[in-house]
Amino acid sequence: MAAPDELKETLVAMARHARQASRQLAASDTATKNRILLAMADGLVAGEETILAANECDLAAAAGLPAAMVDRLRLTPERIAAIAEDVRHVATLPDPVGRVIEEFAGAKGICIRKVSVPIGVIAILFESRPNVTVDAAALCLKSGNAVMLRGGKEAIHSNLALAAALEASGRPAGLPDG
């Protein structure tokens, strides 16, 4: 286990990279974000063998956990295909960035608009459900945000494999580093 200072330095470096990536994502147009999402979905399917092997490591370490938790942890070819299909679905959703939420005339006829914008960097801690890694990444990307994810320790190998597949397939399509 890393020393507290080393862990802090690692997290700060990750956050800085994510902040830089968030600036690029915030400026990305809808077509770019959708292209990245579709490439990521394809990358999940292409990386199925590696993802399943990583998931087997997590399942082997899950001995003694409740059956329901093991089931949530388990990935299968069908579940990976469904997760990839969910990412493809996110690509079909309207882009939330730039949506006018409210508009009214203010004093002296000034037009005032409330417009949705990316937040920047979103950090998410979640339980051992590997699909959340992909769902959160896809939704954050669609909304122009970078994301830092930390899933439960029971799914560490699966989450790392899923994140690697998303990153490797998303980069050639325009996903920024970090």
Side-chain angles (χ1 to χ4, degrees), residues 5-171:
D5 288 342
E6 291 176 34
L7 180 59
K8 179 181 176 183
E9 288 176 23
T10 299
L11 290 174
V12 168
M14 288 173 66
R16 283 189 179 125
H17 285 111
R19 183 175 61 192
Q20 185 61 36
S22 75
R23 293 178 181 136
Q24 290 176 261
L25 289 171
S28 295
D29 63 16
T30 303
T32 299
K33 292 186 285 188
N34 290 342
R35 184 176 62 248
I36 295 167
L37 287 165
L38 294 173
M40 289 170 130
D42 292 343
L44 290 170
V45 173
E48 177 184 294
E49 188 175 316
T50 301
I51 294 166
L52 290 174
N55 185 247
E56 282 301 319
C57 292
D58 291 334
L59 291 171
L65 292 177
M69 189 170 196
V70 173
D71 183 57
R72 288 192 300 264
L73 182 61
R74 184 179 315 281
L75 292 173
T76 63
E78 294 79 18
R79 286 183 177 181
I80 292 172
I83 293 168
E85 194 55 38
D86 290 344
V87 175
R88 288 185 185 94
H89 177 70
V90 171
T92 70
L93 297 174
D95 193 333
V97 177
R99 185 173 59 90
V100 176
I101 298 167
E102 186 178 356
E103 184 174 4
F104 57 92
K108 299 184 182 184
I110 295 174
C111 180
I112 299 172
R113 290 188 188 130
K114 185 188 293 185
V115 179
S116 64
V117 297
I119 294 170
V121 178
I122 298 173
I124 303 174
L125 303 171
F126 54 97
E127 64 178 11
S128 296
R129 291 179 181 253
N131 62 301
V132 174
T133 299
V134 178
D135 294 344
L139 292 170
C140 286
L141 190 147
K142 183 69 174 198
S143 60
N145 295 293
V147 64
M148 293 177 62
L149 300 168
R150 177 58 170 107
K153 66 181 180 220
E154 297 84 3
I156 189 69
H157 298 98
S158 302
N159 288 335
L160 289 171
L162 289 164
L166 294 174
E167 193 172 12
S169 57
R171 274 207 183 123

